[in-house]
Amino acid sequence: MIAVSDLKKAFGNHVVLDGITTEIRKGEVVVIIGPSGSGKSTFLRSLNLLERPTGGHIYFEGVDITDPKTDINLHRQKMGMVFQQFNLFPHMTVMKNITLAPVKCGKMSQQEADHKALELLERVGLPEKADSYPDMLSGGQKQRVAIARALAMGPDVMLFDEPTSALDPEMVGEVLAIMKELARSGMTMAVVTHEMGFAREVGTRVLFINDGNIQEENTPQEFFSNPKHPRLKEFLSKVL
Ligand code: ADP
Ligand code: MG
């Protein structure tokens, strides 16, 4: 679904990604871990060109989206993104947050979008919050709405950047539960997280990003029980 070839990203002289090559296959849940500042967000944001790579190529469903001639907006519609800070529109109801994009880009009528939004609110367990504003919701509820909003476009892949890092501990579980359900339904996912339990249980593959590269990449079982790179061993000894 996504193929990343020698991806490079520098901010000025600061090289953050130094030639990353990997792929995300249909139905995979790829979990990305690594130290703070190692480039996890930059990597994830590069996948839908929220960051413009300074080198290399990204192919999404066979199309080179790093080619300047590609209409990125067309492809972005197929990639849902969920951020640490929710990024809901504060002046819009939950319904409006969810229906805005599909209606605006002409994918659905308002009525179709409303119908779909209610279905999605059911799915994330918040049907009663349709007419609420974001500041009336808890952090966990906001993030579940953000997931529903991303799903409203019918994406082929979902990108999550530390979706539970801004939550109070008692709300982490409700968001992880939605993500687990999504994974079980067959959604292709790339997830940056510090939730090692999620990585073990739901991940099909785990990547360790450090020093601008993927230093280790393995099944969760092997990754956690038999880490090879010294930096990964050190990292795991601190977080597990
Ligand atoms: P992570 O998500 O792993 O914590 P990031 O991808 O956010 O790391 O950041 C990696 C490095 O890139 C950091 O040193 C950060 O300061 C730098 N960086 C990220 N975004 C920008 C930007 N827009 N401008 C300059 N430097 C940036
Ligand atoms: Mg980050």
Side-chain angles (χ1 to χ4, degrees):
M1 184 164 287
I2 301 177
V4 178
S5 168
D6 200 26
L7 172 65
K8 295 191 167 116
K9 177 67 183 181
F11 295 104
N13 296 329
H14 181 193
V15 177
V16 176
L17 302 178
D18 194 14
I20 288 193
T21 298
T22 191
E23 57 186 24
I24 300 174
R25 288 178 286 273
K26 195 169 187 298
E28 268 199 303
V29 178
V30 174
V31 178
I32 299 142
I33 70 171
S36 177
S38 60
K40 303 180 298 298
S41 294
T42 303
F43 173 67
L44 202 69
R45 292 163 61 81
S46 298
L47 296 183
N48 62 3
L49 299 197
L50 284 181
E51 299 291 353
R52 268 274 162 197
T54 40
H57 296 271
I58 297 165
Y59 301 87
F60 176 61
E61 297 178 330
V63 176
D64 183 356
I65 58 172
T66 44
D67 181 337
K69 292 197 284 286
T70 303
D71 177 3
I72 183 58
N73 287 322
L74 215 61
H75 300 281
R76 253 190 210 137
Q77 291 177 11
K78 304 234 154 232
M79 307 188 204
M81 183 134 190
V82 175
F83 305 87
Q84 184 174 340
Q85 295 298 340
F86 327 122
N87 295 7
L88 295 176
F89 306 115
H91 57 294
M92 292 179 192
T93 64
V94 163
M95 267 312 255
K96 195 74 189 170
N97 264 279
I98 299 174
T99 61
L100 184 70
V103 172
K104 201 159 188 176
C105 76
K107 201 179 162 75
M108 296 177 199
S109 69
Q110 186 66 51
Q111 197 185 358
E112 285 167 331
D114 287 350
H115 183 78
K116 174 88 180 168
L118 284 174
E119 227 173 74
L120 288 167
L121 283 173
E122 255 343 303
R123 187 170 178 186
V124 301
L126 295 170
E128 75 286 1
K129 298 295 183 191
D131 299 319
S132 302
Y133 284 85
D135 67 4
M136 300 156 76
L137 306 178
S138 72
Q141 291 171 336
K142 279 184 208 165
Q143 197 58 301
R144 284 147 70 195
V145 170
I147 293 171
R149 181 176 62 176
L151 289 172
M153 289 293 285
D156 291 344
V157 61
M158 286 280 284
L159 311 174
F160 292 88
D161 193 0
E162 298 200 33
T164 60
S165 294
L167 301 178
D168 291 335
E170 75 270 22
M171 291 169 188
V172 170
E174 68 194 55
V175 172
L176 292 179
I178 302 293
M179 293 169 63
K180 282 179 199 173
E181 187 272 322
L182 199 55
R184 267 195 301 269
S185 77
M187 179 61 78
T188 308
M189 297 164 59
V191 184
V192 174
T193 188
H194 297 295
E195 293 291 330
M196 299 300 150
F198 178 88
R200 258 182 219 270
E201 193 186 326
V202 186
T204 48
R205 200 147 46 92
V206 188
L207 313 183
F208 178 63
I209 291 194
N210 191 40
D211 286 344
N213 267 296
I214 297 175
Q215 286 186 333
E216 198 147 330
E217 172 168 0
N218 222 326
T219 60
Q221 169 67 18
E222 271 297 298
F223 187 93
F224 289 109
S225 61
N226 191 18
K228 290 168 191 73
H229 199 285
R231 270 302 278 120
L232 175 59
K233 287 184 190 178
E234 186 197 339
F235 181 78
L236 290 179
S237 74
K238 285 180 190 152
V239 298
L240 287 182

